[in-house]
Amino acid sequence: MMHAFFRSVAAMIVMSGVAGCTSISYYAQSLKGHLEIMAARQDVGKLIDNPSTPGTLRARMASASAIRQFAIDELALPDNNSYRSYVDVGRDAVTWAIFAAPEFSLTPRTWCFPVFGCVPYRGYFSKRSAIETAVELQRQGLDVYVTGITAYSTLGWSSDPLLSTMLSQDEAGLAGLVFHELAHQRVYVQDDSGFNEAFATAVETTGVRKWLRANGDTAGLRRYEADRRRRAQFLALVSQTRDELRHVYDDSATSEQKRAAKIAAIERLRMRYREMRDSRWHGYRRYDVWFDSPINNAKLAATSVYGDRVATFLRLFDLCSGDFPRFFASVRWIGALDKSDRAEALKAADSCDGSGQIRKPEAANRSLMYSAAGAGD
């Protein structure tokens, strides 16, 4: 998912004047697309009460409303107007995100924006514009990956709606999206997408488990845990290939040799996946689309951003005895450390204060940002 991309975007347009017409055009499409969605919002409560609302949509809105209240009451997530309205965006994705990386590197290119910092992707409301940008990046010799996005967050700076793209999920998936996006309103660390996404995924995971248990949905919980295990196994395969490719790229071989070794490593990844799918997963094919489409450094890097460090946050959550406010406070404290210390602090944490072997900072690092909705916990 692309998160926190459109925050204070009007200010970006004003501040980007020195960057040229391309930047102004880019920010303008972001603002236009976001405002179009905001203008199309319908109140969830009114949709539920309106007899002309299709029964299927009414049922999904009722479920979403219950999920939203659960987020406040049980997960200590923001009590604001986010996800209390609905928009049918009329397409399969609300935005498209572009990831890029050099041919022989797994370090993604980052794009930096006024106010909220640098992220390893660039997002577009227009698929055509995203593809045009991707083609230009490929001309520069970069590996490029374009993917559709089902939800995004403004960190509480506007009242984010439920989107029709979010309703393609089952109830557990919808709950996970809502919890994940609201988590970004609790803690957001500038210039550290890996930290932000792993934290939000930990909130999503623990929140969905609690939601399913609270509803007595033991079958749903079993399915969810099975999905989580498969996701972890998928990420382990990708991590193994990234390690192999790092060795390839660090080698003193020629470009032609590195290119051939890269192709071979990616084919081994596909082969290992097929073996796992057909044996351990008993033919479960949900990840076929990912493996059947092109795989390159940009795609592998994007997977890393959204998959790494989740386990360390889940461990910290356990150290906080499953208490969400304490967990959020601990994550804020770690987020206030210098970026070079954050990962080590997560690994070294031996209590809910997150201290481990890292000395608590005297004051919060400026890279830690709180939304208006998240203040005061």
Side-chain angles (χ1 to χ4, degrees):
M1 286 170 273
M2 182 178 61
H3 306 294
F5 182 71
F6 300 99
R7 181 175 177 272
S8 198
V9 71
M12 293 181 195
I13 293 177
V14 174
M15 298 171 71
S16 66
V18 297
C21 294
T22 300
S23 291
I24 293 174
S25 174
Y26 172 71
Y27 292 133
Q29 68 85 29
S30 298
L31 179 60
K32 178 177 180 290
H34 180 64
L35 292 180
E36 286 175 350
I37 287 176
M38 293 297 102
R41 288 175 294 177
Q42 302 177 75
D43 182 82
V44 166
K46 291 180 179 179
L47 284 172
I48 294 171
D49 294 338
N50 189 341
S52 67
T53 302
T56 301
L57 180 59
R58 185 185 294 113
R60 295 310 305 272
M61 291 297 98
S63 178
S65 181
I67 288 167
R68 185 66 184 87
Q69 194 60 45
F70 187 86
I72 298 166
D73 296 340
E74 301 296 331
L75 310 185
L77 289 169
D79 183 0
N80 57 25
N81 287 326
S82 291
Y83 309 111
R84 299 185 188 279
S85 61
Y86 170 74
V87 175
D88 186 343
V89 299
R91 52 185 186 264
D92 293 335
V94 62
T95 60
W96 287 265
I98 299 173
F99 296 82
E103 183 183 9
F104 301 129
S105 173
L106 290 161
T107 301
R109 173 174 175 173
T110 57
W111 285 269
C112 299
F113 305 97
V115 183
F116 81 105
C118 303
V119 293
Y121 52 75
R122 191 166 183 171
Y124 291 84
F125 279 95
S126 163
K127 185 176 183 179
R128 177 179 176 181
S129 296
I131 291 173
E132 288 174 351
T133 300
V135 169
E136 177 56 34
L137 291 169
Q138 286 173 329
R139 289 196 188 106
Q140 298 172 24
L142 295 169
D143 283 4
V144 178
Y145 172 53
V146 180
T147 183
I149 304 299
T150 58
Y152 67 90
S153 171
T154 60
L155 303 182
W157 285 65
S158 67
S159 298
D160 300 323
L162 294 162
L163 304 169
S164 53
T165 50
M166 299 168 69
L167 301 188
S168 62
Q169 308 278 336
D170 61 12
E171 186 173 275
L174 177 59
L177 281 173
V178 171
F179 300 157
H180 187 113
E181 301 301 340
L182 287 171
H184 287 305
Q185 296 186 21
R186 277 292 179 240
V187 181
Y188 178 79
V189 179
Q190 202 174 54
D191 302 336
D192 199 340
S193 292
F195 183 94
N196 295 327
E197 295 306 327
F199 160 67
T201 300
V203 174
E204 168 190 336
T205 302
T206 54
V208 170
R209 286 170 174 162
K210 191 168 186 176
W211 164 258
L212 292 171
R213 290 189 184 109
N215 285 278
D217 189 355
T218 55
L221 183 59
R222 283 196 299 270
R223 287 193 299 272
Y224 182 72
E225 296 295 1
D227 285 343
R228 296 299 304 172
R229 286 193 295 273
R230 284 188 289 262
R231 175 69 177 171
Q233 291 159 3
F234 160 71
L235 291 173
L237 285 186
V238 172
S239 179
Q240 180 181 353
T241 299
R242 291 203 312 267
D243 289 342
E244 292 174 4
L245 288 172
R246 287 190 189 97
H247 289 297
V248 170
Y249 301 151
D250 290 341
D251 195 270
S252 57
T254 65
S255 294
E256 289 77 10
Q257 290 170 328
K258 289 182 179 181
R259 199 167 289 122
K262 175 182 178 181
I263 292 171
I266 290 172
E267 285 310 306
R268 285 195 299 273
L269 170 62
R270 286 195 170 100
M271 179 189 68
R272 287 192 290 263
Y273 165 69
R274 289 192 294 267
E275 290 174 351
M276 183 173 68
R277 178 197 66 192
D278 296 338
S279 57
R280 189 186 305 181
W281 289 6
H282 307 291
Y284 180 85
R285 309 182 74 91
R286 180 177 175 182
Y287 288 85
D288 279 10
V289 173
W290 194 93
F291 283 96
D292 290 344
S293 57
I295 300 173
N296 58 27
N297 292 335
K299 190 171 185 176
L300 295 170
T303 303
S304 174
V305 168
Y306 288 91
D308 290 352
R309 289 193 272 179
V310 174
T312 54
F313 278 98
L314 291 173
R315 175 178 168 273
L316 180 60
F317 182 80
D318 289 339
L319 288 171
C320 295
S321 303
D323 185 302
F324 283 91
R326 290 182 65 209
F327 175 59
F328 296 154
S330 184
V331 172
R332 287 197 190 100
W333 177 82
I334 294 173
L337 297 169
D338 289 338
K339 188 173 184 178
S340 59
D341 292 331
R342 257 175 238 142
E344 183 59 33
L346 274 171
K347 291 178 183 178
D350 54 16
S351 65
C352 188
D353 68 7
S355 57
Q357 304 301 313
I358 306 296
R359 185 172 62 86
K360 193 169 184 176
E362 296 299 325
N365 187 300
R366 288 184 180 180
S367 66
L368 182 62
M369 300 181 66
Y370 303 89
S371 73
D377 286 337

